[in-house]
Amino acid sequence: LELTKLLDKVQPFSPNVARNIIEVAFQKDLEKVFNKFSLEPLACASIAQVHSAELLDGTEVVVKIVRPTIKETIHHDIAILYFLSGIIEKYWSPAIRLRPSVIVAEIEKTILGELDMYREGANATQIGRNFKESEDLYIPKIYWDYTHENILVMERIFGFNILEKEALINAGVDIRQIAKKGVSILFTQIFRDNFFHADMHPGNIFVMVNSQTKDVKFGLVDFGIMGSLSKFDQNYLAENCSAFFAKDYRRVAELHVES
Protein backbone atom coordinates (compact mmCIF):
# COMPACT_ATOMS: atom_id res chain seq x y z
CA LEU A 1 0.00 0.00 0.00
CA GLU A 2 2.87 2.35 0.75
CA LEU A 3 4.46 1.66 -2.64
CA THR A 4 1.25 2.63 -4.45
CA LYS A 5 1.82 6.18 -3.20
CA LEU A 6 4.73 6.36 -5.67
CA LEU A 7 2.22 6.18 -8.52
CA ASP A 8 1.99 9.82 -9.53
CA LYS A 9 -1.43 11.23 -10.32
CA VAL A 10 -0.69 14.37 -12.31
CA GLN A 11 -2.47 16.22 -15.07
CA PRO A 12 -1.38 15.34 -18.62
CA PHE A 13 0.07 18.04 -20.81
CA SER A 14 -1.81 19.07 -23.94
CA PRO A 15 -2.07 16.66 -26.91
CA ASN A 16 -0.89 19.53 -29.13
CA VAL A 17 2.26 19.83 -27.01
CA ALA A 18 2.91 16.08 -27.38
CA ARG A 19 2.41 16.32 -31.16
CA ASN A 20 4.73 19.34 -31.37
CA ILE A 21 7.52 17.66 -29.37
CA ILE A 22 7.47 14.65 -31.69
CA GLU A 23 7.33 16.70 -34.89
CA VAL A 24 10.22 18.92 -33.76
CA ALA A 25 12.34 15.87 -32.83
CA PHE A 26 11.68 13.99 -36.08
CA GLN A 27 11.32 17.02 -38.38
CA LYS A 28 8.24 15.33 -39.83
CA ASP A 29 4.48 15.38 -39.41
CA LEU A 30 3.28 13.00 -36.70
CA GLU A 31 1.44 10.90 -39.30
CA LYS A 32 4.70 10.26 -41.16
CA VAL A 33 6.42 9.02 -38.00
CA PHE A 34 3.73 6.68 -36.66
CA ASN A 35 0.98 4.70 -38.34
CA LYS A 36 -1.21 5.37 -35.29
CA PHE A 37 -0.64 7.61 -32.28
CA SER A 38 -3.06 8.04 -29.37
CA LEU A 39 -3.07 11.67 -28.25
CA GLU A 40 -4.76 10.50 -25.04
CA PRO A 41 -1.91 9.35 -22.73
CA LEU A 42 -1.81 5.86 -21.22
CA ALA A 43 -0.12 7.17 -18.09
CA CYS A 44 0.99 10.51 -16.69
CA ALA A 45 3.81 11.08 -14.22
CA SER A 46 5.68 14.08 -12.92
CA ILE A 47 8.60 13.79 -15.36
CA ALA A 48 7.02 12.28 -18.49
CA GLN A 49 3.87 10.82 -19.94
CA VAL A 50 3.32 7.72 -22.06
CA HIS A 51 1.26 7.33 -25.24
CA SER A 52 0.33 4.19 -27.16
CA ALA A 53 1.33 4.16 -30.82
CA GLU A 54 1.94 1.95 -33.83
CA LEU A 55 5.03 2.05 -36.02
CA LEU A 56 4.65 2.26 -39.78
CA ASP A 57 5.15 -1.53 -40.00
CA GLY A 58 2.28 -2.12 -37.54
CA THR A 59 4.38 -2.85 -34.43
CA GLU A 60 2.65 -1.76 -31.21
CA VAL A 61 4.81 0.54 -29.09
CA VAL A 62 4.62 3.03 -26.25
CA VAL A 63 6.09 6.51 -26.60
CA LYS A 64 7.44 8.19 -23.48
CA ILE A 65 7.66 11.98 -23.78
CA VAL A 66 9.50 14.14 -21.25
CA ARG A 67 7.50 17.12 -19.98
CA PRO A 68 8.67 20.20 -21.89
CA THR A 69 9.44 22.50 -18.92
CA ILE A 70 10.33 19.92 -16.30
CA LYS A 71 14.11 20.50 -16.34
CA GLU A 72 13.72 24.17 -15.37
CA THR A 73 11.26 23.22 -12.60
CA ILE A 74 13.67 20.61 -11.21
CA HIS A 75 16.64 23.02 -11.23
CA HIS A 76 14.50 25.59 -9.39
CA ASP A 77 13.36 23.10 -6.75
CA ILE A 78 16.84 21.63 -6.28
CA ALA A 79 18.22 25.14 -5.70
CA ILE A 80 15.66 25.61 -2.91
CA LEU A 81 16.66 22.26 -1.37
CA TYR A 82 20.37 23.22 -1.43
CA PHE A 83 19.49 26.53 0.24
CA LEU A 84 17.48 24.78 2.98
CA SER A 85 20.10 22.06 3.52
CA GLY A 86 22.76 24.77 3.92
CA ILE A 87 20.74 26.46 6.64
CA ILE A 88 20.12 23.13 8.40
CA GLU A 89 23.82 22.23 8.33
CA LYS A 90 24.77 25.64 9.70
CA TYR A 91 22.30 25.86 12.58
CA TRP A 92 21.40 22.24 13.53
CA SER A 93 24.24 20.13 14.95
CA PRO A 94 22.79 16.64 14.12
CA ALA A 95 23.09 17.63 10.43
CA ILE A 96 26.80 16.76 10.64
CA ARG A 97 25.69 13.13 10.84
CA LEU A 98 22.69 13.33 8.51
CA ARG A 99 24.45 15.37 5.75
CA PRO A 100 21.35 16.85 4.04
CA SER A 101 23.36 18.54 1.25
CA VAL A 102 24.78 15.13 0.26
CA ILE A 103 21.22 13.77 0.12
CA VAL A 104 20.13 16.67 -2.09
CA ALA A 105 23.10 16.03 -4.40
CA GLU A 106 22.04 12.39 -4.74
CA ILE A 107 18.45 13.43 -5.50
CA GLU A 108 19.72 15.90 -8.12
CA LYS A 109 21.90 13.28 -9.81
CA THR A 110 19.10 10.70 -9.88
CA ILE A 111 16.26 12.91 -11.06
CA LEU A 112 18.27 14.67 -13.79
CA GLY A 113 19.36 11.25 -15.01
CA GLU A 114 15.68 10.33 -15.40
CA LEU A 115 15.25 13.08 -17.99
CA ASP A 116 17.65 11.47 -20.48
CA MET A 117 15.78 8.97 -22.63
CA TYR A 118 19.00 7.77 -24.26
CA ARG A 119 20.21 6.73 -20.82
CA GLU A 120 16.92 5.02 -20.00
CA GLY A 121 17.04 3.16 -23.30
CA ALA A 122 20.60 2.04 -22.57
CA ASN A 123 19.55 0.85 -19.10
CA ALA A 124 16.71 -1.20 -20.57
CA THR A 125 19.00 -2.68 -23.22
CA GLN A 126 21.60 -3.69 -20.61
CA ILE A 127 19.14 -5.38 -18.28
CA GLY A 128 17.58 -7.04 -21.33
CA ARG A 129 20.99 -8.52 -22.20
CA ASN A 130 21.46 -9.67 -18.61
CA PHE A 131 18.15 -11.57 -18.71
CA LYS A 132 18.23 -12.62 -22.37
CA GLU A 133 17.88 -16.32 -21.51
CA SER A 134 15.52 -15.83 -18.57
CA GLU A 135 12.17 -17.58 -18.39
CA ASP A 136 11.09 -15.32 -15.52
CA LEU A 137 11.68 -11.77 -16.74
CA TYR A 138 10.89 -10.02 -20.02
CA ILE A 139 12.36 -6.63 -20.93
CA PRO A 140 10.67 -4.76 -23.80
CA LYS A 141 12.71 -3.85 -26.87
CA ILE A 142 13.91 -0.27 -27.38
CA TYR A 143 13.48 1.19 -30.87
CA TRP A 144 16.63 3.27 -31.14
CA ASP A 145 15.82 4.75 -34.56
CA TYR A 146 12.82 6.45 -32.95
CA THR A 147 14.45 7.46 -29.66
CA HIS A 148 15.66 10.99 -28.85
CA GLU A 149 16.94 12.72 -25.73
CA ASN A 150 13.36 13.59 -24.70
CA ILE A 151 11.47 10.73 -26.43
CA LEU A 152 11.71 6.98 -25.80
CA VAL A 153 9.97 4.47 -28.07
CA MET A 154 9.64 0.99 -26.62
CA GLU A 155 7.84 -2.25 -27.41
CA ARG A 156 4.41 -2.37 -25.78
CA ILE A 157 3.90 -5.24 -23.35
CA PHE A 158 0.64 -6.50 -21.89
CA GLY A 159 -0.11 -8.16 -18.58
CA PHE A 160 -1.76 -7.85 -15.20
CA ASN A 161 -0.73 -5.11 -12.82
CA ILE A 162 1.11 -6.70 -9.88
CA LEU A 163 -1.61 -5.32 -7.53
CA GLU A 164 -4.43 -7.18 -9.31
CA LYS A 165 -4.31 -10.18 -6.99
CA GLU A 166 -7.90 -11.34 -7.48
CA ALA A 167 -7.62 -11.12 -11.25
CA LEU A 168 -4.39 -13.16 -11.13
CA ILE A 169 -6.02 -15.83 -8.96
CA ASN A 170 -9.04 -15.93 -11.29
CA ALA A 171 -6.63 -16.40 -14.20
CA GLY A 172 -5.35 -19.57 -12.51
CA VAL A 173 -2.01 -18.13 -11.38
CA ASP A 174 -0.14 -19.50 -8.36
CA ILE A 175 0.48 -16.43 -6.18
CA ARG A 176 3.33 -18.19 -4.36
CA GLN A 177 5.04 -18.78 -7.72
CA ILE A 178 4.83 -15.06 -8.47
CA ALA A 179 6.31 -14.15 -5.08
CA LYS A 180 9.15 -16.65 -5.46
CA LYS A 181 10.01 -15.46 -8.98
CA GLY A 182 9.85 -11.82 -7.90
CA VAL A 183 12.40 -12.33 -5.13
CA SER A 184 14.60 -14.42 -7.42
CA ILE A 185 14.58 -11.73 -10.13
CA LEU A 186 15.47 -8.98 -7.67
CA PHE A 187 18.28 -10.94 -6.02
CA THR A 188 19.68 -11.95 -9.42
CA GLN A 189 19.85 -8.30 -10.46
CA ILE A 190 21.54 -7.28 -7.20
CA PHE A 191 23.94 -10.16 -6.55
CA ARG A 192 24.71 -11.65 -9.98
CA ASP A 193 24.65 -8.56 -12.21
CA ASN A 194 25.08 -5.74 -9.69
CA PHE A 195 22.76 -3.71 -11.93
CA PHE A 196 19.18 -3.49 -10.74
CA HIS A 197 15.90 -1.71 -11.43
CA ALA A 198 15.64 0.77 -8.56
CA ASP A 199 12.09 2.02 -9.13
CA MET A 200 10.02 -1.13 -8.77
CA HIS A 201 6.72 0.37 -7.69
CA PRO A 202 3.51 -1.38 -8.83
CA GLY A 203 3.03 0.83 -11.89
CA ASN A 204 6.27 -0.49 -13.37
CA ILE A 205 5.63 -4.23 -12.87
CA PHE A 206 3.50 -6.38 -15.18
CA VAL A 207 2.67 -10.06 -14.71
CA MET A 208 2.47 -11.77 -18.10
CA VAL A 209 0.47 -15.01 -17.90
CA ASN A 210 0.64 -17.88 -20.39
CA SER A 211 -3.06 -18.66 -20.96
CA GLN A 212 -2.37 -22.38 -21.54
CA THR A 213 0.28 -23.32 -18.97
CA LYS A 214 -0.55 -20.53 -16.45
CA ASP A 215 3.19 -19.93 -16.10
CA VAL A 216 4.09 -16.35 -15.29
CA LYS A 217 6.79 -14.02 -16.48
CA PHE A 218 7.44 -10.55 -15.10
CA GLY A 219 7.65 -7.57 -17.43
CA LEU A 220 9.38 -4.40 -16.29
CA VAL A 221 9.10 -0.86 -17.64
CA ASP A 222 10.55 2.56 -16.71
CA PHE A 223 14.33 2.18 -16.46
CA GLY A 224 15.11 5.77 -15.50
CA ILE A 225 16.53 4.84 -12.08
CA MET A 226 18.96 1.94 -11.87
CA GLY A 227 21.29 0.97 -9.05
CA SER A 228 24.51 -0.83 -8.27
CA LEU A 229 26.28 -1.57 -4.98
CA SER A 230 29.83 -1.67 -3.71
CA LYS A 231 31.17 -5.10 -2.72
CA PHE A 232 30.85 -4.05 0.92
CA ASP A 233 27.16 -3.18 0.46
CA GLN A 234 26.50 -6.37 -1.50
CA ASN A 235 28.03 -8.47 1.30
CA TYR A 236 26.19 -6.47 3.97
CA LEU A 237 22.86 -6.99 2.20
CA ALA A 238 23.49 -10.70 1.57
CA GLU A 239 24.46 -11.36 5.20
CA ASN A 240 21.53 -9.29 6.43
CA CYS A 241 19.04 -11.23 4.31
CA SER A 242 20.59 -14.53 5.40
CA ALA A 243 20.41 -13.56 9.07
CA PHE A 244 16.88 -12.25 8.69
CA PHE A 245 15.63 -15.45 6.99
CA ALA A 246 17.32 -17.48 9.77
CA LYS A 247 15.62 -15.23 12.37
CA ASP A 248 19.05 -14.40 13.78
CA TYR A 249 18.13 -10.88 14.83
CA ARG A 250 21.25 -10.42 16.94
CA ARG A 251 23.31 -10.85 13.75
CA VAL A 252 21.06 -8.35 11.96
CA ALA A 253 21.82 -5.83 14.72
CA GLU A 254 25.55 -6.58 14.61
CA LEU A 255 25.65 -6.09 10.84
CA HIS A 256 23.83 -2.79 11.20
CA VAL A 257 26.42 -1.56 13.71
CA GLU A 258 29.30 -2.83 11.55
CA SER A 259 27.97 -0.99 8.51
Side-chain angles (χ1 to χ4, degrees):
L1 291 174
E2 287 300 312
L3 288 175
T4 61
K5 295 174 184 176
L6 293 174
L7 296 171
D8 294 325
K9 297 181 176 66
V10 297
Q11 290 296 316
F13 52 81
S14 161
N16 289 332
V17 171
R19 171 187 283 273
N20 184 62
I21 290 171
I22 290 172
E23 291 183 344
V24 167
F26 287 92
Q27 295 294 295
K28 292 180 182 177
D29 291 340
L30 180 65
E31 291 74 19
K32 292 183 179 178
V33 180
F34 298 104
N35 192 35
K36 293 180 183 176
F37 185 90
S38 174
L39 290 171
E40 190 71 28
L42 281 175
C44 303
S46 54
I47 284 177
Q49 67 187 37
V50 175
H51 296 257
S52 62
E54 191 178 279
L55 301 182
L56 297 177
D57 64 3
T59 303
E60 288 192 79
V61 295
V62 293
V63 182
K64 184 174 182 177
I65 306 173
V66 176
R67 288 182 174 272
T69 60
I70 192 64
K71 185 176 283 189
E72 292 80 4
T73 302
I74 289 170
H75 281 305
H76 181 267
D77 289 350
I78 291 291
I80 294 171
L81 289 177
Y82 274 124
F83 173 73
L84 293 174
S85 65
I87 292 175
I88 292 169
E89 288 173 343
K90 186 174 181 179
Y91 295 107
W92 191 50
S93 57
I96 295 172
R97 178 170 53 86
L98 298 175
R99 298 185 296 170
S101 62
V102 176
I103 295 171
V104 174
E106 183 68 18
I107 293 169
E108 181 181 29
K109 175 185 171 185
T110 302
I111 199 165
L112 290 177
E114 281 193 86
L115 301 181
D116 186 349
M117 295 298 101
Y118 285 128
R119 177 182 293 192
E120 179 168 342
N123 290 339
T125 301
Q126 180 59 55
I127 200 170
R129 280 196 292 262
N130 293 347
F131 282 85
K132 187 176 181 181
E133 306 300 327
S134 174
E135 295 181 357
D136 297 335
L137 181 63
Y138 185 80
I139 303 298
K141 176 183 176 182
I142 303 297
Y143 290 90
W144 286 106
D145 290 345
Y146 287 82
T147 295
H148 292 73
E149 185 180 4
N150 60 341
I151 299 170
L152 180 71
V153 178
M154 182 172 66
E155 173 190 1
R156 187 174 184 182
I157 60 173
F158 297 90
F160 292 94
N161 184 287
I162 190 67
L163 291 178
E164 297 177 303
K165 184 177 177 181
E166 286 190 20
L168 287 165
I169 292 172
N170 291 337
V173 171
D174 181 350
I175 296 296
R176 292 179 66 87
Q177 182 190 25
I178 292 178
K180 187 174 180 180
K181 284 190 176 186
V183 173
S184 175
I185 289 167
L186 180 61
F187 280 10
T188 301
Q189 291 178 68
I190 293 171
F191 296 114
R192 185 193 70 182
D193 304 327
N194 197 18
F195 186 70
F196 55 90
H197 194 299
D199 194 18
M200 289 182 69
H201 65 70
N204 291 340
I205 306 172
F206 291 85
V207 180
M208 306 160 75
V209 182
N210 185 308
S211 58
Q212 296 179 324
T213 64
K214 304 304 178 185
D215 283 339
V216 298
K217 180 177 278 195
F218 281 83
L220 289 181
V221 297
D222 194 351
F223 304 91
I225 306 177
M226 305 298 291
S228 60
L229 300 175
S230 67
K231 284 295 181 185
F232 177 90
D233 285 342
Q234 277 185 309
N235 290 333
Y236 166 74
L237 184 60
E239 285 198 57
N240 217 319
C241 288
S242 179
F244 187 79
F245 295 150
K247 299 185 179 180
D248 184 354
Y249 301 118
R250 182 178 183 84
R251 183 58 183 150
V252 172
E254 290 170 350
L255 287 162
H256 187 69
V257 173
E258 288 171 12
S259 75

